[in-house]
Amino acid sequence: MSEAKLINRALKAVMNRQTGDDPYRPAWHLSPQTGLMNDPNGFIQFQGEWHLFYQWNPLACAHGAKYWGHWRSTNLIDWQHEPLALAPAEEYESHGCYSGSAVDHNGTLTLFYTGNVKFAQGRTAWQCLATVDRSGEVTKAGPVISLPTGYTGHVRDPKVWRHQNRWYMVLGAQNLAEQGKVLLYSSDTLHEWALLGEIAGSHLNGLGDFGYMWECPDLFALGDKDVLLVCPQGLPAQEKKWLNAHQSGYFIGSLDYAAAHFPHGEFHELDLGFEFYAPQTTAGDDGRRLLFGWMGVPDAEELLQPTTAKGWIHIMTCPRELTLEQGRLMQRPARELQQLRQQRVCYQQTAASLPALPVEHAELVVQSTGRWSACFGEALTLVCDESGLTLSRRNLRSGEAEYRYWTGDVSRLQILCDRSSIEIFINDGEGVMSARYFPQATPKVVWQGEARLSVDYWQLRSGMVV
Ligand code: FRU
């Protein structure tokens, strides 16, 4: 019996023992049944169905040798657990099947991932290929790219796409001077790859020192531009930005494929909340660019989250639609999520006179001018004033209050709540703030302030996995 099959059998036994009482388990966001989940991987609409794979340590609430878990859906909101897709069984992946992506190659679902290998004096990385057959069985084809010269063992997270009859791949990398980079490769076969060059990174394209490692790149055309999503590690915190342990953001530019040159604009964070990292996008059959992110951040105080007492940790964000409008990347909750809404209730009154509304799983659209605040349970506070938005909560390690900011005029907020998470979409997609929070009791939102608000409120149905 294969390693993946043995593990699947053991996991089923563990899952059957889980109890129902789990107040922080999301009702409609994706979360691992057991163990630690991190990056979304292999996001694709393949033969009409959505597949989302994910970084998974099914054996503990800790990082370590990673596996690929797998969910499948026909509608982006009701998801089904699939058998474990990849387990680190071979020498070239001994310390984890790290992040990667999926493509449709002549009707075969084809996966790319990083085989992570650690040894006493360091580490190396192989970019690997695997295929999924119609029954869901995964066959590994082994490494297709070895470590390029001039880089440390931190070269990973292949994102593959097709452009004008060729395949392209971006990789996150660290050079020997410990500068974060993005490498561009091309291929005709998916098995032989040529390195075209560095297209972005620290000390490139007008950036100065911009981090020691860049993880999880994703490059795609949007409108008449190309967008590079990437997670640079090592950016020093500023007064109101780059406040998480590691950042996740984007550059807008135009990729010259022949010259492997990507002149681009400034770095913008994708999400200004407490938890967001390693997003991955795909193009749906209808042409929409959709994104899932990990609602977590590596190397933060993540492992102190109280769900570990129930044997699991971390969730995905909701699926988001990306567009480029007036040179800005906009993010909106995927329109499919509206199917979760139950009856709408509307309020138009001063903030302080609004009733406390249950937000265990709820959506709120708040239109306002003026100053007001909202407390979600006792665990998270949102303040809206002339400077913008301030989100605060207590740090899990120190117990001290910590803050995240969005600066600008706020006219409309779309707030999605799911037991232990909140996602705040600002001004119809101009900005997002996402956070996990762990209230003592079933959370209600309690309002303060004399500003007049218009609030549309829906309870959301459960959208979770069978
Ligand atoms: C990002 C990351 C990736 C890596 C994976 C390992 O969170 O560090 O660079 O492939 O997680 O789980």
Side-chain angles (χ1 to χ4, degrees):
M1 195 180 281
S2 76
E3 168 138 348
K5 276 202 178 129
L6 279 168
I7 291 170
N8 272 314
R9 219 159 58 169
L11 283 174
K12 264 193 197 134
V14 174
M15 288 165 192
N16 287 342
R17 274 193 273 122
Q18 289 191 340
T19 57
D21 171 32
D22 197 345
Y24 302 137
R25 174 71 79 178
W28 58 273
H29 282 81
L30 290 163
S31 62
Q33 283 183 301
T34 183
L36 179 146
M37 181 209 79
N38 54 304
D39 315 355
N41 292 160
F43 182 28
I44 191 169
Q45 188 172 22
F46 176 75
Q47 297 179 346
E49 290 191 318
W50 299 98
H51 293 262
L52 184 67
F53 298 84
Y54 55 99
Q55 285 289 282
W56 192 20
N57 180 358
L59 307 172
C61 289
H63 291 279
K66 294 288 169 63
Y67 298 62
W68 274 38
H70 181 193
W71 292 297
R72 192 161 54 90
S73 168
T74 52
N75 61 6
L76 265 186
I77 47 176
D78 298 291
W79 292 87
Q80 177 172 318
H81 287 288
E82 293 293 303
L84 186 106
L86 292 171
E90 308 295 332
E91 255 177 67
Y92 57 79
E93 56 188 16
S94 56
H95 291 73
C97 299
Y98 272 17
S99 284
S101 55
V103 294
D104 177 346
H105 182 220
N106 298 331
T108 301
L109 180 55
T110 305
L111 310 178
F112 289 87
Y113 66 99
T114 301
N116 182 47
V117 177
K118 290 187 185 169
F119 39 86
Q121 298 313 318
R123 65 201 287 163
T124 192
W126 302 93
Q127 312 313 322
C128 304
L129 187 155
T131 52
V132 187
D133 72 13
R134 282 175 194 283
S135 71
E137 189 79 21
V138 179
T139 305
K140 292 176 183 169
V144 292
I145 298 178
S146 59
L147 200 64
T149 47
Y151 298 89
T152 71
H154 291 281
V155 176
R156 56 177 170 263
D157 308 336
K159 179 78 191 325
V160 178
W161 74 102
R162 195 148 176 88
H163 174 77
Q164 293 181 350
N165 294 326
R166 296 207 79 188
W167 295 104
Y168 290 88
M169 176 195 288
V170 275
L171 286 176
Q174 179 184 61
N175 71 8
L176 297 177
E178 299 198 356
Q179 298 164 351
K181 303 284 181 181
V182 174
L183 308 181
L184 179 69
Y185 283 74
S186 75
S187 172
D188 289 322
T189 61
L190 289 180
H191 286 265
E192 293 87 34
W193 290 86
L195 175 58
L196 302 181
E198 293 178 352
I199 56 160
S202 196
H203 299 280
L204 271 180
N205 301 330
L207 293 180
D209 189 1
F210 216 80
Y212 57 81
M213 169 64 191
W214 284 24
E215 296 189 311
C216 300
D218 186 352
L219 196 143
F220 50 89
L222 200 60
D224 56 353
K225 296 283 183 195
D226 295 307
V227 177
L228 173 67
L229 310 187
V230 73
C231 299
Q233 299 193 311
L235 302 185
Q238 316 263 314
E239 194 193 343
K240 289 198 170 179
K241 62 179 188 177
W242 304 354
L243 295 173
N244 292 336
H246 301 298
Q247 274 52 60
S248 171
Y250 66 93
F251 296 96
I252 299 175
S254 294
L255 178 62
D256 179 338
Y257 281 79
H261 187 43
F262 180 63
H264 60 67
E266 271 176 55
F267 178 73
H268 300 277
E269 279 179 270
L270 272 162
D271 190 301
L272 287 157
F274 289 97
E275 272 97 14
F276 183 87
Y277 199 71
Q280 189 174 92
T281 72
T282 195
D285 292 343
D286 60 6
R288 280 182 300 162
R289 180 59 56 174
L290 290 151
L291 171 149
F292 270 103
W294 170 32
M295 219 190 286
V297 178
D299 306 329
E301 44 310 311
E302 45 161 349
L303 302 179
L304 299 177
Q305 292 182 11
T307 63
T308 55
K310 296 283 178 189
W312 66 276
I313 179 167
H314 294 312
I315 68 171
M316 290 294 170
T317 66
C318 73
R320 302 177 181 179
E321 290 182 25
L322 304 186
T323 52
L324 200 64
E325 293 169 30
Q326 278 103 46
R328 269 182 109 136
L329 188 71
M330 308 290 280
Q331 297 178 69
R332 298 183 177 91
R335 61 197 70 171
E336 283 84 347
L337 294 172
Q338 292 175 15
Q339 295 168 40
L340 298 175
R341 291 174 175 171
Q342 294 174 309
Q343 206 184 339
R344 179 164 71 137
V345 187
C346 303
Y347 302 91
Q348 287 202 343
Q349 55 203 75
T350 58
S353 69
L354 279 165
L357 298 170
V359 285
E360 200 183 358
H361 15 86
E363 176 175 348
L364 302 125
V365 173
V366 182
Q367 302 191 64
S368 73
T369 46
R371 299 165 69 108
W372 55 276
S373 66
C375 293
F376 294 80
E378 72 300 337
L380 191 83
T381 304
L382 178 67
V383 175
C384 181
D385 62 21
E386 33 311 309
S387 68
L389 293 174
T390 306
L391 191 62
S392 63
R393 68 174 189 195
R394 301 222 162 267
N395 181 279
L396 286 175
R397 180 170 286 120
S398 65
E400 312 256 298
E402 50 182 2
Y403 302 89
R404 294 293 181 272
Y405 308 94
W406 187 84
T407 309
D409 288 338
V410 176
S411 55
R412 180 181 190 272
L413 300 179
Q414 185 174 2
I415 303 176
L416 299 174
C417 300
D418 191 4
R419 292 219 170 105
S420 55
S421 75
I422 186 163
E423 286 162 280
I424 304 167
F425 291 81
I426 305 157
N427 296 347
D428 202 22
E430 271 179 37
V432 194
M433 299 178 93
S434 302
R436 299 296 305 285
Y437 72 121
F438 304 100
Q440 293 299 322
T442 308
K444 287 190 170 171
V445 56
V446 175
W447 313 82
Q448 283 186 337
E450 290 314 308
R452 209 177 151 73
L453 307 190
S454 144
V455 178
D456 287 351
Y457 167 80
W458 297 264
Q459 298 265 8
L460 299 180
R461 75 163 169 86
S462 162
M464 255 324 280
V465 179
V466 244

